[in-house]
Amino acid sequence: MTVDFTTWFWPHGDPFARAEASTDERSRSSDDTFVRARAVLGYDAPRLGVESANDLVIAFCQADPLRRVAMPGIDPLRDGALRLLDAYHQRGAIGVVVSPADQGWCPTHTGVREFFEACAERGLVVLSKNPGLLRRDSVLGFARVWHWDEVLRSMPTLKLVLGDHLVGGVDESLALCAKHRSAFAETSGVLARPIRLHDMLRSAHEFGVMDKVIFGSGSPAMSAADAAERVYQVNGLGVRGDLDPIPRESLRAIVERDTFRALGVEDFDAMPRGADVRARRAVVRRGVNA
């Protein structure tokens, strides 16, 4: 069961697209059979002048509920953020996308604590992802992974997925995953940089946290099929000829992992679909420590 955990929804085109990250239509169409399900991401960063309409994200997922689940983007410091969180949860969202650097807050900020406590209480997955990290108004210091250590030490059941591995380094992300049972790291941020992808997977193997690496393509910039191929080809980079290859079965486990179960969304296949989202919420587990 291949789950693409990082599919962006850009109703007006990807505002952060790079020419080298383009994916042809043939590659995208192959995902129709390759991907069992997707988490579809919204984005909310008025600071950068970019927002993805969360209502459209929800509607897009409800149009194909057997294959899509929603993770709207919310700025925790936005007025009414908790009301939005509950509204999207009621409509079937399994989590939320936050962007500390792009939204201009530090994860240790006291003003966001209540928001993350609400996520932990409701069993919602939090993806920390800053697609506008290289924009002038994005705050690089707030993307440092170590800020999340304080959050997870005080909220051990908060389900956190780290999506940025350019600031602070790959090892910092994986150390957080090794330290906190509820922390995970996804792949989309390094797929376009083969050496960094190799470093991430090599370090995860050496840290013993390959089971904490979640497959995400960053679609539509890259198709899930192409992303999986990059994972499988990582041993062929020839970065260091004296290193033993990462076991093929470990790479396959990343691509084929039941991500929803790993994150505590236990019974995705058994979830009621369509309008009956209250029953769906009942099977979302409150934390991965249970």
Side-chain angles (χ1 to χ4, degrees):
M1 173 179 173
T2 294
V3 173
D4 186 352
F5 189 73
T6 317
T7 294
W8 291 101
F9 185 89
W10 302 115
H12 307 296
D14 185 351
F16 308 112
R18 301 181 305 275
E20 68 270 20
S22 63
T23 301
D24 61 39
E25 193 62 36
R26 184 176 181 180
S27 295
R28 289 194 184 99
S29 65
S30 69
D31 281 4
D32 292 341
T33 55
F34 180 76
V35 175
R36 165 64 185 87
R38 296 179 181 275
V40 181
L41 313 182
Y43 179 74
D44 179 28
R47 178 188 183 90
L48 301 187
V50 181
E51 298 179 57
S52 177
N54 287 319
D55 286 339
L56 295 180
V57 172
I58 296 289
F60 179 68
C61 292
Q62 290 180 338
D64 191 359
L66 290 174
R67 295 169 57 88
R68 304 171 189 156
V69 292
M71 292 187 62
I74 301 178
D75 181 347
L77 293 182
R78 178 190 280 270
D79 289 342
L82 284 174
R83 290 194 299 273
L84 285 174
L85 184 71
D86 279 334
Y88 295 137
H89 188 203
Q90 290 284 341
R91 296 173 67 185
I94 65 162
V96 63
V97 179
V98 298
S99 307
D102 293 354
Q103 293 167 341
W105 49 268
C106 182
T108 59
H109 190 303
T110 56
V112 301
R113 181 178 180 85
E114 184 179 6
F115 183 87
F116 292 124
E117 287 176 339
C119 290
E121 180 183 347
R122 291 156 178 75
L124 295 172
V125 179
V126 174
L127 170 62
S128 178
K129 189 77 171 169
N130 295 281
L133 197 58
L134 301 183
R135 290 284 183 93
R136 182 181 182 277
D137 289 331
S138 187
V139 185
L140 285 173
F142 294 163
R144 292 297 300 265
V145 173
W146 59 264
H147 291 304
W148 288 104
D149 179 53
E150 181 176 331
V151 178
L152 291 175
R153 282 189 284 114
S154 62
M155 289 180 244
T157 62
L158 179 67
K159 294 181 281 191
L160 175 68
V161 179
L162 303 167
D164 298 304
H165 310 295
L166 298 178
V167 178
V170 165
D171 283 355
E172 192 172 280
S173 297
L174 296 173
L176 198 75
C177 292
K179 180 177 181 180
H180 297 284
R181 187 175 180 182
S182 61
F184 298 80
E186 61 92 18
T187 61
S188 68
V190 292
L191 287 169
R193 298 167 175 83
I195 302 302
R196 186 58 61 89
L197 174 63
H198 177 275
D199 290 347
M200 178 188 185
L201 297 180
R202 166 62 56 184
S203 293
H205 178 59
E206 294 173 351
F207 267 104
V209 291
M210 288 290 272
D211 61 327
K212 293 298 203 72
V213 179
I214 287 175
F215 178 72
S217 71
S219 174
M222 181 181 295
S223 73
D226 287 346
E229 191 64 25
R230 294 202 178 196
V231 172
Y232 285 132
Q233 291 178 348
V234 74
N235 284 321
L237 289 174
V239 179
R240 285 275 303 277
D242 59 335
L243 293 175
D244 291 334
I246 302 169
R248 175 80 174 183
E249 57 270 23
S250 296
L251 300 176
R252 182 183 298 112
I254 292 172
V255 174
E256 298 181 0
R257 177 167 296 121
D258 185 344
T259 297
F260 295 128
R261 182 174 295 277
L263 290 172
V265 185
E266 297 285 356
D267 301 311
F268 178 78
D269 287 330
M271 282 181 177
R273 308 300 181 182
D276 194 6
V277 295
R278 286 178 296 179
R280 173 186 292 188
R281 287 169 40 226
V283 302
V284 178
R285 306 299 188 242
R286 293 192 174 187
V288 297
N289 291 325

